[in-house]
Amino acid sequence: MKKKKVNLRDLKPNSEEQHSHDDGHNHGHDDSSSFKTYIPAIISFTMLIIGIGLDYFDVSFFQDWIRITWYSLAYLPVGFPVVKEGWNSIKKGDVFTEFFLMSIATIGAFIIGEYPEGVAVMLFYAVGELFQSAAVNRAKGNIKALLDVRPKEANVFREGDYKSVSPEVVNIGEKIQIRVGEKIPLDGILLSEKASLNTAALTGESKPDSIQKEAKVYAGSINLESVIEVEVTNKFEDSSIARILDLVQNATARKSKTELFIRQFARIYTPIVVFLAIGVTFIPYFFVEDYVFRDWLYRALIFLVISCPCALVISIPLGYFGGLGAASKNGILFKGASFLDAMTKINTLVMDKTGTVTKGVFKIKEVKAIDWKETEFMQYLMAMEEQSTHPIAKAILEYKSEGEDFEAQDVSEIAGKGLKGIVSGKIVLVGNKALMTANNIDVPTETESIVESIVLVAIDNQFAGYVVIADELKEDAKETITALQKVGIKNIMMLSGDKDSITQQVAKELNIKNAKGGLLPEDKLNEVEILKKNPENKVAFIGDGINDAPVLAASNVGIAMGGLGSDVAIETADVIIQTDQPSKVVRAIKIGRSTRKIVWQNIILAFGVKVIVLILGAGGLATMWEAVFADVGVALLAILNAVRLQRMSWD
């Protein structure tokens, strides 16, 4: 699906008009699931059935101009949009489209007096288009959704007070205030003494970032602990969040999606049948003694009516629609039929770490107490951490301890190092190595090899132990990598904004040989672009954060975690895993392959029957009703075949 190139800076947050457009046609329908989309087909179907009934009972008044007018009115709701599309294509120099074929075939049916057949054939086509539009437009992304992640207001200090204004009108050097839970609207320098920021959406860093006064802060970060003040250093259009949104838009503009098979097929099929119909009209003149132009023109028009690819048009979208339905039942949302196809061609999978294969929340990984019982050691530590609101403290407080809780007194925070206090009459230090060094406490060398977040503890000036805090792997992460290799995805790569040491350790646990950490959104995008330079690589990327959105847009197939994923990642991606389980990616690939198999079965069936009826039609042995009946029969078989997808299992 190609999207219009839009300058995000020109869009307003409340704009309802700016939106992406699909290159496919949908006959002007903005919402294919809306009931009004089906009204033209319902009107045509109702009038066709009534007309056939009047013909069958040979009602006296239903003759001549009344009959022609009735069927013409039945034809217009479904036929006019197609004829108009065909005419517009011709004006652009694209003559042999499916619209052109449908137009001349059905109008030809009217010319030779086969009015019901003309309406029926176009009605079949319209129904097929509705199925296709519903599949392609389902959950289609919208550029406006990108604006939802932009901070919508900034509290700027002006005229002795803080005023809420648009971030776009804040100047460099002005002071802004950010409350707890709010996004920082602009890049700047921290004026407050300290801040704890969630930067996961920008960097993928799983651990909240604790920073001190005069440190740089970036737009899009979330303030976690207390009200802070920031001096603005960049205008909004130059901020980190604006840059990421711009990357998304540029990557989306470069992204081209595979057309459905019917669109490509029609460009070859249509001129062939048109020229064959011309041949059926004129070539017999040279070989038949009693050649009558009107008779052979009649036969050629019947040939054109028969040649309409109605069964193809219906059966192919139905196959894809069955695949989309099966995927939805399995917690997987494809944003169009073409992505089911694209999933079958993937041979390279690139994945994010935090929130994709890990849960994105802190858990205690290891408790190491030295010369203390573990439970008693943890009681001292928990008493101290109760005085902190840091996410790591929250993870430690989830530890289940026995006995009475200890209470900490005279707790003070040592900037950038940790906490100092008194618990049960003992001096307790909790923090990093810098805190231990400042208090002349020796730390075991084994702690230096630990890559995860580590909390060191000293009691009465003696090192008492440490606790390792880490982001936890999702339950199905390991089996996902094994299953991906089994389905033929041999090239698996992990890219993360988290520390490289942590990224490498997670990759090792999952048996992923190629991994890189400490990457900015631009770096991730560059890595994927390098992979795509090899035309043999069909790259899928799976991620969940705002920082993943540019890569999701640039990859052949973008896969987003829908449960915990950011809105931008979900809107930019082609496939949404609604349950946040990475193993569903394997199931998505299997469903795509099953769908493609069913679709090709339907294509071969429909095309095979079509060829047979075309030959009979050219020889004058088949009427249009027989052709329509053959199409209906094939369509029913195709429907039954597609329904099989709903009952398949991909465990």
Side-chain angles (χ1 to χ4, degrees):
M1 182 191 321
K2 295 179 183 177
K3 294 181 182 175
K4 257 187 181 180
K5 172 96 177 180
V6 179
N7 188 336
L8 288 169
R9 298 172 189 172
D10 296 336
L11 294 176
K12 302 299 179 188
N14 63 352
S15 171
E16 297 292 339
E17 300 300 324
Q18 305 281 4
H19 61 282
S20 62
H21 294 270
D22 185 16
D23 269 357
H25 59 282
N26 61 8
H27 303 317
H29 305 316
D30 293 328
D31 182 5
S32 62
S33 64
S34 172
F35 176 75
K36 65 181 181 181
T37 307
Y38 298 89
I39 291 177
I42 293 170
I43 293 172
S44 290
F45 176 75
T46 304
M47 293 187 70
L48 175 62
I49 294 300
I50 293 172
I52 291 174
L54 293 172
D55 279 338
Y56 181 80
F57 292 105
D58 198 20
V59 177
S60 58
F61 73 83
F62 197 64
Q63 304 289 335
D64 302 326
W65 67 269
I66 294 178
R67 184 169 181 262
I68 295 172
T69 302
W70 180 267
Y71 281 118
S72 296
L73 290 174
Y75 177 85
L76 282 176
V78 290
F80 178 74
V82 178
V83 174
K84 181 182 177 182
E85 193 77 46
W87 175 247
N88 289 336
S89 296
I90 291 172
K91 288 195 294 184
K92 294 175 183 177
D94 192 7
V95 178
F96 295 112
T97 62
E98 60 191 277
F99 314 113
F100 175 70
L101 176 59
M102 297 303 302
S103 299
I104 61 171
T106 51
I107 291 171
F110 270 77
I111 291 172
I112 61 177
E114 301 290 352
Y115 313 124
E117 291 88 333
V119 177
V121 167
M122 189 59 85
L123 179 61
F124 275 130
Y125 178 78
V127 171
E129 282 295 282
L130 286 174
F131 276 116
Q132 180 167 316
S133 293
V136 173
N137 292 326
R138 188 179 181 184
K140 188 164 64 173
N142 192 306
I143 291 296
K144 178 179 170 289
L146 294 176
L147 301 174
D148 293 339
V149 300
R150 304 198 307 179
K152 293 178 174 59
E153 60 180 33
N155 292 316
V156 61
F157 190 76
R158 290 177 180 174
E159 299 174 0
D161 196 9
Y162 283 101
K163 297 181 179 180
S164 181
V165 300
S166 169
E168 292 161 323
V169 300
V170 178
N171 298 315
I172 294 173
E174 289 196 287
K175 183 169 68 173
I176 56 174
Q177 183 187 74
I178 302 95
R179 303 183 188 98
V180 177
E182 290 183 343
K183 292 175 184 173
I184 296 177
L186 299 132
D187 294 347
I189 298 293
L190 182 65
L191 297 177
S192 303
E193 290 300 320
K194 62 175 183 175
S196 180
L197 305 177
N198 180 349
T199 61
L202 296 173
T203 65
E205 170 69 56
S206 54
K207 178 184 173 183
D209 192 10
S210 295
I211 62 170
Q212 303 302 312
K213 186 175 182 178
E214 297 187 357
K216 289 183 178 180
V217 297
Y218 298 99
S221 302
I222 299 173
N223 182 26
L224 296 177
E225 289 185 359
S226 57
V227 177
I228 60 173
E229 293 179 341
V230 170
E231 181 182 324
V232 176
T233 57
N234 290 324
K235 282 187 168 290
F236 179 78
E237 56 264 30
D238 300 320
S239 66
S240 51
I241 191 71
R243 188 174 69 250
I244 288 177
L245 292 175
D246 193 46
L247 281 170
V248 172
Q249 182 55 32
N250 289 335
T252 303
R254 291 197 299 270
K255 187 178 189 177
S256 70
K257 296 298 178 186
T258 308
E259 287 184 303
L260 292 179
F261 173 83
I262 188 62
R263 195 61 43 80
Q264 298 168 327
F265 175 78
R267 296 188 184 281
I268 301 171
Y269 177 82
T270 305
I272 290 175
V273 296
V274 170
F275 286 118
L276 283 175
I278 294 171
V280 168
T281 305
F282 296 106
I283 292 176
Y285 172 80
F286 301 101
F287 302 99
V288 178
E289 290 185 5
D290 55 345
Y291 173 82
V292 178
F293 173 76
R294 181 181 176 82
D295 291 346
W296 285 100
L297 174 63
Y298 181 92
R299 191 172 293 187
L301 288 172
I302 291 177
F303 177 85
L304 274 179
V305 173
I306 294 170
S307 69
C308 293
C310 302
L312 278 173
V313 168
I314 292 174
S315 64
I316 294 171
L318 270 177
Y320 284 116
F321 205 69
L324 292 171
S328 181
K329 284 185 178 180
N330 282 272
I332 304 162
L333 175 61
F334 285 87
K335 287 190 178 178
S338 59
F339 303 122
L340 277 162
D341 258 349
M343 284 297 289
T344 66
K345 301 170 185 175
I346 294 303
N347 55 25
T348 301
L349 182 71
V350 182
M351 60 175 60
D352 176 45
K353 180 186 71 67
T354 307
T356 300
V357 293
T358 68
K359 294 181 178 179
V361 293
F362 286 104
K363 295 286 183 184
I364 294 176
K365 183 177 180 181
E366 182 185 359
V367 176
K368 182 68 178 289
I370 299 173
D371 298 330
W372 287 85
K373 288 183 180 180
E374 182 179 310
T375 53
E376 191 176 6
F377 166 77
M378 287 301 296
Q379 283 176 313
Y380 278 97
L381 174 58
M382 291 168 68
M384 293 290 291
E385 295 292 6
E386 280 180 351
Q387 309 300 312
S388 173
T389 58
H390 196 281
I392 286 181
K394 293 175 184 176
I396 290 173
L397 292 173
E398 289 180 7
Y399 181 87
K400 305 298 181 185
S401 63
E402 298 175 358
E404 294 182 9
D405 292 338
F406 291 175
E407 186 176 341
Q409 298 174 330
D410 299 329
V411 177
S412 60
E413 183 171 350
I414 301 166
K417 296 177 181 179
L419 302 172
K420 182 178 181 179
I422 298 174
V423 180
S424 297
K426 300 181 186 295
I427 298 173
V428 180
L429 298 171
V430 175
N432 56 24
K433 188 175 180 180
L435 179 64
M436 300 295 138
T437 302
N439 287 273
N440 299 315
I441 295 171
D442 292 331
V443 178
T445 55
E446 65 186 80
T447 60
E448 295 175 5
S449 61
I450 298 172
V451 298
E452 296 97 339
S453 298
I454 182 170
V455 178
L456 306 176
V457 181
I459 301 176
D460 274 351
N461 295 318
Q462 293 294 318
F463 187 76
Y466 58 85
V467 175
V468 178
I469 307 291
D471 194 358
E472 196 177 4
L473 280 177
K474 291 183 178 178
E475 289 80 1
D476 60 341
K478 289 184 179 179
E479 68 180 68
T480 298
I481 304 304
T482 304
L484 283 167
Q485 292 167 342
K486 284 183 179 178
V487 297
I489 311 292
K490 303 299 183 185
N491 188 11
I492 302 174
M493 184 177 188
M494 180 182 288
L495 301 177
S496 177
D498 210 343
K499 289 193 296 187
D500 188 60
S501 55
I502 295 177
T503 303
Q504 296 299 337
Q505 180 166 320
V506 171
K508 186 177 180 181
E509 285 184 57
L510 295 175
N511 195 27
I512 297 174
K513 295 180 173 58
N514 194 357
K516 294 184 180 181
L519 301 178
L520 295 172
E522 302 96 300
D523 301 326
K524 289 185 180 182
L525 184 60
N526 289 336
E527 291 289 340
V528 168
E529 293 286 10
I530 290 169
L531 287 171
K532 285 181 66 182
K533 283 180 181 177
N534 183 348
E536 293 183 4
N537 287 338
K538 300 300 178 186
V539 183
F541 180 87
I542 175 170
D544 72 315
I546 296 174
N547 62 307
D548 296 325
V551 204
L552 287 166
S555 55
N556 297 111
V557 180
I559 306 169
M561 291 295 178
L564 297 174
S566 75
D567 290 341
V568 165
I570 292 170
E571 288 295 337
T572 307
D574 309 311
V575 183
I576 312 299
I577 307 299
Q578 295 170 297
T579 59
D580 270 356
Q581 296 171 285
S583 57
K584 290 294 179 73
V585 176
V586 180
R587 191 166 296 184
I589 293 170
K590 290 180 178 179
I591 291 173
R593 290 176 180 176
S594 296
T595 302
R596 188 171 177 81
K597 185 177 179 181
I598 292 288
V599 166
W600 274 103
Q601 289 172 353
N602 285 351
I603 288 171
I604 293 168
L605 173 68
F607 189 63
V609 171
K610 181 65 65 178
V611 169
I612 293 170
V613 179
L614 278 173
I615 293 171
L616 293 175
L621 300 176
T623 67
M624 280 180 290
W625 274 117
E626 288 165 343
V628 171
F629 178 78
D631 259 359
V632 171
V634 170
L636 288 173
L637 289 173
I639 290 169
L640 293 173
N641 198 27
V643 166
R644 290 197 303 124
L645 283 164
Q646 304 291 329
R647 300 185 179 182
M648 289 183 180
S649 175
W650 293 276
D651 294 328

